[in-house]
Amino acid sequence: MVKVTIVEIELKKKEFTVRVNGNLILNNSEHIRQAALSHSGIIYIEKGSVANDLKRGKLKILLEKYKTQSTGFYLYYPHKVHISPALRAFINFFKSELK
């Protein structure tokens, strides 16, 4: 069974809902990138994940005029009184990169 994904986009303050059908469903940004590079279809991904490919002309943006709503990034980790130094360093790095 093929999953249908709903994508909400906006152009000039008018919102559209697009139903996307496909037979390739991925949830890993590197796999998604590789699928695009191998001409397996159009991808919907955060621009930073493919920035080098865009610069090199290996990929191009198709719907640049359209905007999408980002749900943001979420980092889930066990709540403990003492967080390991490695996890604390990762959290701090993650926060600083998103500023």
Side-chain angles (χ1 to χ4, degrees):
M1 176 178 266
V2 176
K3 182 180 175 185
V4 176
T5 302
I6 305 297
V7 179
E8 295 178 355
I9 58 176
E10 180 184 318
L11 177 64
K12 296 181 182 177
K13 299 189 180 188
K14 184 173 181 183
E15 293 181 3
F16 300 89
T17 300
V18 180
R19 293 171 54 97
V20 180
N21 294 317
N23 57 3
L24 181 62
I25 299 169
L26 303 168
N27 66 358
N28 175 291
S29 60
E30 181 57 25
H31 294 156
I32 294 168
R33 180 182 158 272
Q34 288 298 326
L37 291 170
S38 67
H39 307 283
S40 296
I42 298 170
I43 64 171
Y44 174 68
I45 195 168
E46 188 270 327
K47 196 185 286 186
S49 298
V50 292
N52 289 334
D53 299 309
L54 292 169
K55 284 180 194 174
R56 293 182 182 132
K58 292 182 177 182
L59 296 176
K60 78 178 201 180
I61 298 173
L62 297 178
L63 302 171
E64 192 161 21
K65 293 180 182 178
Y66 292 86
K67 295 179 185 176
T68 59
Q69 287 291 343
S70 172
T71 57
F73 290 99
Y74 296 91
L75 178 62
Y76 296 97
Y77 54 93
H79 177 70
K80 294 182 178 181
V81 176
H82 300 288
I83 296 174
S84 72
L87 180 57
R88 173 54 55 204
F90 177 75
I91 292 168
N92 292 340
F93 171 78
F94 193 75
K95 287 180 177 179
S96 69
E97 288 297 308
L98 294 177
K99 288 182 181 176

